[in-house]
Amino acid sequence: MKKIITAIILAGLFIATNAGAMDGMQHGTATEPAAEGSHDAMQHGSTSMDDKFMHSVMADDVHTEFQIMDLASMNMKDPEGKTHHVMATFMRDDKKIETLAGKVKLIAPSGKEQIADLKDYGGGNFAANFTIDEPGKWGVICLFKEDNGKHTVKFWYEHKQM
């Protein structure tokens, strides 16, 4: 029963956080594009193509971009047998943040949780590997700390079993 209540509370938090985050975003329109190189020109939200899912959102004053990719589609194998690669980049004032500490938590549709530290791959690219083995909506939470403070990003990843 505790797991069900926890899952319901987490789902409510995800929905509330994402709805609140969407209110403050500005986007260019087809008739009025945003200026090139500005944060307004950056697309926020989620897209999915082939074996890659992408999500972009502002976390305070940091533009974040996440990609979730199937390791097999990248011709990569994880020594621990993990199946997916979660990669993240962080930008402030159109410059990549190259030094930070962070963790990513994935919550499966069944409520099972995985947590991994973001590994620094250089050039402002950070990533962690996970096992994504259930179809459905996965909760993704990223907590990161850099020179200007601590930040949180939350979003949903829809995994479709192949």
Side-chain angles (χ1 to χ4, degrees):
M1 187 67 171
K2 279 185 174 179
K3 286 184 180 182
I4 293 171
I5 292 171
T6 302
I8 292 169
I9 290 170
L10 284 173
L13 287 173
F14 278 127
I15 292 167
T17 301
N18 286 339
M22 295 300 282
D23 288 342
M25 285 197 264
Q26 297 178 0
H27 298 280
T29 63
T31 59
E32 185 181 338
E36 186 69 31
S38 73
H39 283 297
D40 289 347
M42 296 178 188
Q43 296 296 315
H44 293 131
S46 300
T47 60
S48 189
M49 291 185 298
D50 302 322
D51 294 321
K52 187 185 337 184
F53 170 86
M54 295 181 291
H55 182 80
S56 298
V57 68
M58 293 298 291
D60 304 316
D61 65 338
V62 179
H63 172 77
T64 66
E65 294 182 357
F66 292 84
Q67 293 183 36
I68 301 177
M69 299 163 278
D70 184 309
L71 285 168
S73 72
M74 300 167 56
N75 295 322
M76 295 175 63
K77 289 185 180 180
D78 182 90
E80 298 173 15
K82 297 184 178 177
T83 61
H84 286 72
H85 190 68
V86 176
M87 187 174 76
T89 58
F90 307 90
M91 293 177 58
R92 177 181 288 113
D93 299 327
D94 298 324
K95 294 179 185 156
K96 275 191 177 179
I97 297 172
E98 296 193 17
T99 305
L100 62 78
K103 290 186 179 286
V104 175
K105 177 191 276 190
L106 260 59
I107 304 167
S110 66
K112 180 177 74 174
E113 297 180 358
Q114 301 173 61
I115 299 173
D117 291 328
L118 283 174
K119 182 179 175 185
D120 185 351
Y121 282 89
N125 297 303
F126 301 87
N129 290 345
F130 294 91
T131 299
I132 298 179
D133 55 1
E134 296 177 34
K137 282 189 175 184
W138 287 69
V140 180
I141 303 171
C142 177
L143 304 172
F144 65 99
K145 180 180 178 182
E146 44 82 43
D147 291 342
N148 289 3
K150 296 178 183 178
H151 312 279
T152 304
V153 175
K154 299 176 185 180
F155 61 93
W156 292 104
Y157 161 63
E158 180 79 29
H159 180 66
K160 295 174 177 60
Q161 210 66 17
M162 299 289 169

